[in-house]
Amino acid sequence: MSEPFSITPADIEAAAQRIEGHVLRTPLVPAPRLSELTGATVLVKHENMQATASFKERGAVNKLLGLTEAERARGVIAMSAGNHAQAVAYHARRFGIPATIVMPETTPLVKVENTRAHGARVVLYGETLYESAVRARELAQAETLVFVHPYDDAAVMAGQGTIAREMLADAPDLDVLIIPLGGGGLMAGNAIAAKALKPEIELIGVEAELYPSFYNAVNAEDRPIGGATLAEGIAVKTVGELTLPIVSSLVSDIVLVGEDLIERAVNAYASLQHSLAEGAGAAGLAAMLKEPERYRGKKVGLVLCGGNIDTRLLAAIMVRELEREDRIAAFRLTASDRPGLLGKVASLLGDHGANILEVSHGRLFLDVPAKGVTLDVTVETRGESHTRAIEEALRANGFQPRRIFPRGLAEQDR
């Protein structure tokens, strides 16, 4: 690392000493079921166990503790989609520093309310972090506040770099670190730390496919940027000026992951690791699901960098995954409208081990005879083969089943 980067391993060592006792030294936990899923030996750094459920506390504490008394008295301002906001607000209150947070209007409600609960003044402005940043800088100048950037700040980057330092202390034989990429503060700090401790370690950055900011910058491409992503924590349109040189020099590859993979990763963390991961926090696992052969047989460290996910969204993701796995299936049945029909269907499904989740009648469809009826039945099954067996049983009993998928009736049935 001969290049003169904005932070050094010594800065990260100093940050580790400064933040000790203020943030949790999170565990690096073996993940046997994720290992089975990916073919690698997976260890997860659970930054979702921090007080505000994300890694952002490390950089925020390092920055806040470095302020002068005059700066503390004036107060701080930050722009954030949520996790940096909560971290700054939480620790600013601990240190007696007034805090203002500018958040995009699209920020999940759970993050907005949590930030307010930590005592910060919250200003909702703009659709993206870029617009929020413009407003935050205007307020910083007008009110002489200290701007605490979420990623393009040396003190913040050094604080984040303490994660890799801890991971390699706990597991010095790691082959790969996979780290989510938004503005690059998390990756930049940890790239400096990791390469200083183990120069041969491979560093993989992960971006949401809708926000390939670093991918474009590093590969001189011009992929479109924008859209609604589950990984709003890394939905950044502009890379950091301080972070880009580090990422360009030290990161071996940047992987783009689609929304379906991010959903699968969030679900895998919940169902296999029994841990909450927001979209950005699950991005590293999503990269492994995209290219499992790439990591097979290697010892891989994942940073579960945040767990602030709306519970309703998590429930929807888990149900959608059950549908993808054919463990929830919906059928449209057609039959004569006669007493006992519903009981017959229920008994048939029960005999074949299906759990009925929802039933609805339809008598007004024009493709059904006047004396006929349709039943839309949603059931829980054990998987694809069980679902096919249930469909065959319904057909054998004269119910003319047609599968209803989340997007509607299968084309071949229309």
PDB file of all heavy atoms in Angstrom, residues 3 36 64 73 140 156 161-162 191 194 254 262 294 343 362 392:
ATOM      1  N   GLU A   3       0.609   3.722  -2.093  1.00  0.00           N
ATOM      2  CA  GLU A   3      -0.113   4.907  -2.526  1.00  0.00           C
ATOM      3  C   GLU A   3      -0.531   5.746  -1.320  1.00  0.00           C
ATOM      4  O   GLU A   3      -0.940   5.215  -0.283  1.00  0.00           O
ATOM      5  CB  GLU A   3      -1.359   4.468  -3.321  1.00  0.00           C
ATOM      6  CG  GLU A   3      -1.851   5.537  -4.274  1.00  0.00           C
ATOM      7  CD  GLU A   3      -2.886   4.977  -5.245  1.00  0.00           C
ATOM      8  OE1 GLU A   3      -2.761   3.800  -5.622  1.00  0.00           O
ATOM      9  OE2 GLU A   3      -3.804   5.728  -5.605  1.00  0.00           O
ATOM     10  N   GLU A  36     -23.375 -24.465   3.941  1.00  0.00           N
ATOM     11  CA  GLU A  36     -24.000 -25.517   3.134  1.00  0.00           C
ATOM     12  C   GLU A  36     -24.655 -24.927   1.890  1.00  0.00           C
ATOM     13  O   GLU A  36     -24.608 -25.513   0.803  1.00  0.00           O
ATOM     14  CB  GLU A  36     -25.051 -26.255   3.964  1.00  0.00           C
ATOM     15  CG  GLU A  36     -24.490 -27.106   5.090  1.00  0.00           C
ATOM     16  CD  GLU A  36     -25.592 -27.668   5.962  1.00  0.00           C
ATOM     17  OE1 GLU A  36     -26.772 -27.585   5.552  1.00  0.00           O
ATOM     18  OE2 GLU A  36     -25.291 -28.197   7.053  1.00  0.00           O
ATOM     19  N   LEU A  64     -17.101  11.865  16.209  1.00  0.00           N
ATOM     20  CA  LEU A  64     -17.615  12.729  17.276  1.00  0.00           C
ATOM     21  C   LEU A  64     -16.595  12.930  18.390  1.00  0.00           C
ATOM     22  O   LEU A  64     -16.464  14.025  18.939  1.00  0.00           O
ATOM     23  CB  LEU A  64     -18.910  12.140  17.846  1.00  0.00           C
ATOM     24  CG  LEU A  64     -20.118  12.124  16.901  1.00  0.00           C
ATOM     25  CD1 LEU A  64     -21.287  11.382  17.534  1.00  0.00           C
ATOM     26  CD2 LEU A  64     -20.533  13.534  16.505  1.00  0.00           C
ATOM     27  N   ALA A  73     -20.108  22.212  20.820  1.00  0.00           N
ATOM     28  CA  ALA A  73     -21.110  23.192  21.254  1.00  0.00           C
ATOM     29  C   ALA A  73     -21.987  23.644  20.090  1.00  0.00           C
ATOM     30  O   ALA A  73     -23.197  23.870  20.264  1.00  0.00           O
ATOM     31  CB  ALA A  73     -20.426  24.390  21.894  1.00  0.00           C
ATOM     32  N   ALA A 140     -25.756  23.271   7.195  1.00  0.00           N
ATOM     33  CA  ALA A 140     -24.481  23.337   7.916  1.00  0.00           C
ATOM     34  C   ALA A 140     -23.877  24.730   7.815  1.00  0.00           C
ATOM     35  O   ALA A 140     -23.380  25.285   8.811  1.00  0.00           O
ATOM     36  CB  ALA A 140     -23.515  22.295   7.364  1.00  0.00           C
ATOM     37  N   VAL A 156     -14.417   8.909   9.770  1.00  0.00           N
ATOM     38  CA  VAL A 156     -15.488   7.916   9.612  1.00  0.00           C
ATOM     39  C   VAL A 156     -14.937   6.644   8.978  1.00  0.00           C
ATOM     40  O   VAL A 156     -15.212   5.524   9.436  1.00  0.00           O
ATOM     41  CB  VAL A 156     -16.639   8.510   8.765  1.00  0.00           C
ATOM     42  CG1 VAL A 156     -17.639   7.425   8.361  1.00  0.00           C
ATOM     43  CG2 VAL A 156     -17.343   9.629   9.530  1.00  0.00           C
ATOM     44  N   GLY A 161     -13.064   0.875   9.537  1.00  0.00           N
ATOM     45  CA  GLY A 161     -12.000  -0.084   9.293  1.00  0.00           C
ATOM     46  C   GLY A 161     -11.686  -0.985  10.474  1.00  0.00           C
ATOM     47  O   GLY A 161     -10.998  -2.004  10.312  1.00  0.00           O
ATOM     48  N   THR A 162     -12.207  -0.657  11.637  1.00  0.00           N
ATOM     49  CA  THR A 162     -11.962  -1.506  12.809  1.00  0.00           C
ATOM     50  C   THR A 162     -12.662  -2.857  12.678  1.00  0.00           C
ATOM     51  O   THR A 162     -12.335  -3.806  13.405  1.00  0.00           O
ATOM     52  CB  THR A 162     -12.428  -0.795  14.093  1.00  0.00           C
ATOM     53  OG1 THR A 162     -13.838  -0.486  13.992  1.00  0.00           O
ATOM     54  CG2 THR A 162     -11.654   0.492  14.318  1.00  0.00           C
ATOM     55  N   ALA A 191     -10.611  -2.132   3.674  1.00  0.00           N
ATOM     56  CA  ALA A 191      -9.577  -2.528   2.712  1.00  0.00           C
ATOM     57  C   ALA A 191      -8.197  -2.147   3.239  1.00  0.00           C
ATOM     58  O   ALA A 191      -7.248  -2.948   3.174  1.00  0.00           O
ATOM     59  CB  ALA A 191      -9.837  -1.864   1.365  1.00  0.00           C
ATOM     60  N   ALA A 194      -7.488  -4.540   6.270  1.00  0.00           N
ATOM     61  CA  ALA A 194      -7.287  -5.939   5.895  1.00  0.00           C
ATOM     62  C   ALA A 194      -5.973  -6.145   5.155  1.00  0.00           C
ATOM     63  O   ALA A 194      -5.230  -7.096   5.432  1.00  0.00           O
ATOM     64  CB  ALA A 194      -8.461  -6.420   5.045  1.00  0.00           C
ATOM     65  N   ILE A 254     -15.826  -5.900  -8.168  1.00  0.00           N
ATOM     66  CA  ILE A 254     -17.091  -5.339  -7.711  1.00  0.00           C
ATOM     67  C   ILE A 254     -18.205  -6.134  -8.378  1.00  0.00           C
ATOM     68  O   ILE A 254     -18.276  -6.216  -9.604  1.00  0.00           O
ATOM     69  CB  ILE A 254     -17.213  -3.842  -8.050  1.00  0.00           C
ATOM     70  CG1 ILE A 254     -16.134  -3.045  -7.299  1.00  0.00           C
ATOM     71  CG2 ILE A 254     -18.603  -3.318  -7.702  1.00  0.00           C
ATOM     72  CD1 ILE A 254     -16.022  -1.606  -7.720  1.00  0.00           C
ATOM     73  N   ILE A 262     -30.955 -10.220  -3.543  1.00  0.00           N
ATOM     74  CA  ILE A 262     -30.962  -9.526  -2.250  1.00  0.00           C
ATOM     75  C   ILE A 262     -32.095 -10.065  -1.382  1.00  0.00           C
ATOM     76  O   ILE A 262     -31.918 -10.312  -0.182  1.00  0.00           O
ATOM     77  CB  ILE A 262     -31.077  -8.000  -2.438  1.00  0.00           C
ATOM     78  CG1 ILE A 262     -29.869  -7.465  -3.219  1.00  0.00           C
ATOM     79  CG2 ILE A 262     -31.185  -7.296  -1.088  1.00  0.00           C
ATOM     80  CD1 ILE A 262     -29.993  -6.012  -3.644  1.00  0.00           C
ATOM     81  N   ARG A 294     -17.446 -19.537  -7.296  1.00  0.00           N
ATOM     82  CA  ARG A 294     -16.306 -18.635  -7.098  1.00  0.00           C
ATOM     83  C   ARG A 294     -15.723 -18.762  -5.691  1.00  0.00           C
ATOM     84  O   ARG A 294     -14.520 -18.554  -5.485  1.00  0.00           O
ATOM     85  CB  ARG A 294     -16.758 -17.200  -7.351  1.00  0.00           C
ATOM     86  CG  ARG A 294     -15.694 -16.146  -7.140  1.00  0.00           C
ATOM     87  CD  ARG A 294     -16.209 -14.795  -7.560  1.00  0.00           C
ATOM     88  NE  ARG A 294     -15.165 -13.794  -7.541  1.00  0.00           N
ATOM     89  CZ  ARG A 294     -15.278 -12.578  -8.051  1.00  0.00           C
ATOM     90  NH1 ARG A 294     -16.395 -12.219  -8.653  1.00  0.00           N
ATOM     91  NH2 ARG A 294     -14.287 -11.725  -7.987  1.00  0.00           N
ATOM     92  N   GLY A 343     -66.025 -28.470   1.769  1.00  0.00           N
ATOM     93  CA  GLY A 343     -65.572 -29.506   2.686  1.00  0.00           C
ATOM     94  C   GLY A 343     -64.808 -30.606   1.967  1.00  0.00           C
ATOM     95  O   GLY A 343     -63.804 -31.129   2.485  1.00  0.00           O
ATOM     96  N   GLY A 362     -65.630 -17.671  -6.389  1.00  0.00           N
ATOM     97  CA  GLY A 362     -65.938 -16.795  -7.510  1.00  0.00           C
ATOM     98  C   GLY A 362     -67.065 -17.378  -8.326  1.00  0.00           C
ATOM     99  O   GLY A 362     -66.949 -18.494  -8.845  1.00  0.00           O
ATOM    100  N   GLU A 392     -51.976 -32.894  -8.957  1.00  0.00           N
ATOM    101  CA  GLU A 392     -52.453 -34.110  -9.621  1.00  0.00           C
ATOM    102  C   GLU A 392     -53.655 -34.697  -8.894  1.00  0.00           C
ATOM    103  O   GLU A 392     -54.601 -35.206  -9.518  1.00  0.00           O
ATOM    104  CB  GLU A 392     -51.323 -35.135  -9.712  1.00  0.00           C
ATOM    105  CG  GLU A 392     -50.239 -34.772 -10.720  1.00  0.00           C
ATOM    106  CD  GLU A 392     -50.817 -34.510 -12.106  1.00  0.00           C
ATOM    107  OE1 GLU A 392     -51.656 -35.326 -12.562  1.00  0.00           O
ATOM    108  OE2 GLU A 392     -50.453 -33.489 -12.719  1.00  0.00           O
TER     109      GLU A 392
END
